[in-house]
Amino acid sequence: MASCTGAKAALRTVIRAQAAAMTTAERRRSDVILLQRFLELPWTTEADTLLLFYGVGAEPDTGHLLLELWRQRKRVLLPKCLPGRAMEARLVRGEDDLRPGTFGIPEPLDACPTVDKGEIDLILVPALCYDLSCRRLGQGGGYYDRYLADYSGRTVGLCRERLLQKELPVEEHDRAVDLVLTEKRRLEGLSYV
């Protein structure tokens, strides 16, 4: 386990450096393709309630995605971090419902209603990168692994093609997603490791 944890930490450093090396123009081109591919998914079209993440730094800029889904009158949820490395999903109706939260990432105001995960049709799961089996390497906090442990709906990840890995080090608690989209590929994997 310690060796897997160390391998993950080392890989996070490498992936962060590769992501940071992308130019703003490269990231924008990638974002346009990734977000369009997500919007075109039948799962996205069919979903009424979606839990997204607010992309920051080198992550896909999901702010544009939020705007489009609000325009489509979807119920858009964003995570709110809680003590004990837990999170909950809260309904966000517009940018005025957001404020900088844990780690400076925009998150829902306390006044935004909490939504039970049983009502969520689709979760867009953030990651530093994914592998060919749809396993993810997150930031290391474990928030999503804990949240997804008893979630039975659909999960999707977005991964820049240049960051896609052949195989990631995984631990028993790590959760894969059902589907990963890159700019070029659609990968279907395991629902869990």
Side-chain angles (χ1 to χ4, degrees), residues 116-174:
D116 183 84
K117 71 177 75 168
E119 296 179 43
I120 303 171
D121 301 310
L122 179 63
I123 298 179
L124 181 61
V125 183
L128 289 171
C129 66
Y130 285 90
D131 71 10
L132 296 174
S133 296
C134 298
R135 293 177 293 218
R136 62 184 283 275
L137 179 67
Q139 298 285 352
Y143 289 88
Y144 276 86
D145 289 322
R146 280 188 276 290
Y147 192 81
L148 295 172
D150 62 349
Y151 175 69
S152 59
R154 294 174 168 160
T155 54
V156 175
L158 302 178
C159 185
R160 301 189 197 284
E161 182 74 26
R162 68 172 52 188
L163 303 180
L164 184 66
Q165 304 295 300
K166 182 177 180 182
E167 186 174 6
L168 289 171
V170 293
E171 297 172 85
E172 187 177 322
H173 64 268
D174 290 330

Side-chain angles (χ1 to χ4, degrees), residues 7-25:
K8 285 179 169 183
L11 185 55
R12 281 186 187 99
T13 301
V14 170
I15 297 297
R16 286 180 180 129
Q18 289 175 349
M22 292 180 71
T23 66
T24 301

